[in-house]
Amino acid sequence: MGRNAGFDEFVLVTARAVVVDLAPDEAVVVDVVGQEYLRDPERLLSRDGSRPPVLGSGIGTVVTMVTPVALAVGASVYQHLLGKAGESLANGTVKLVRKVFRRDEGAADEVRRVVVERARELGRSADEANRIADTVIAELTRDDDAA
């Protein structure tokens, strides 16, 4: 698995939210791809970690998957918020990460920057990177009781 249970949970929850919003057809593979990502992120993304894998439809169409990008973005956001909150988040649950996010007035802008930067590194368009950031921020601001 990933670094710890809190990291794994956060990455998977965040990725599910992004995939459901941007690529609902991929929702069925988030958990399977997520487990692969948590075992070996670089292998899933590519040899150099800069390009997400593609899916072939069998009729010559190739589609770049959103799921690996969503997982990588979730990991980047967790690491960013961990750095801001200190080691108390090292084993933090999604609920705790959301709480830390909501306490910091500038967190949304910082998270948006982190998400857009990482999504662009992974080959997503500026528009899609911003949509991913919108979804991640919405997930972080979601009421914990709705989780």
Side-chain angles (χ1 to χ4, degrees):
M1 291 297 154
R3 292 187 176 100
N4 61 59
F7 173 84
D8 293 356
E9 177 190 19
F10 183 84
V11 169
L12 292 173
V13 166
T14 303
R16 276 188 213 106
V18 170
V19 169
V20 164
D21 190 44
L22 273 73
D25 292 346
E26 290 181 33
V28 297
V29 300
V30 171
D31 288 332
V32 172
V33 175
Q35 295 308 315
E36 179 67 22
Y37 176 85
L38 294 172
R39 273 192 292 283
D40 190 353
E42 283 76 28
R43 181 172 175 250
L44 180 68
L45 294 172
S46 74
R47 277 177 292 161
D48 64 6
S50 65
R51 291 180 321 233
V54 295
L55 287 178
S57 69
I59 57 171
T61 302
V62 175
V63 178
T64 304
M65 289 182 67
V66 171
T67 301
V69 173
L71 292 160
V73 162
S76 293
V77 169
Y78 186 90
Q79 291 166 348
H80 175 76
L81 292 174
L82 177 65
K84 290 190 65 65
E87 292 303 313
S88 65
L89 266 182
N91 291 307
T93 63
V94 172
K95 199 174 210 178
L96 179 58
V97 173
R98 284 186 186 128
K99 189 174 187 177
V100 168
F101 174 81
R102 287 191 297 258
R103 272 195 230 154
D104 184 349
E105 289 184 26
D109 291 337
E110 292 174 14
V111 166
R112 174 172 297 284
R113 181 189 53 76
V114 168
V115 170
V116 168
E117 182 178 298
R118 185 66 173 135
R120 296 289 287 154
E121 286 173 3
L122 293 167
R124 304 321 271 199
S125 70
D127 181 55
E128 189 170 30
N130 279 300
R131 287 182 57 205
I132 292 169
D134 291 342
T135 302
V136 170
I137 290 167
E139 179 64 25
L140 288 169
T141 57
R142 189 164 57 94
D143 182 6
D144 291 327
D145 294 332

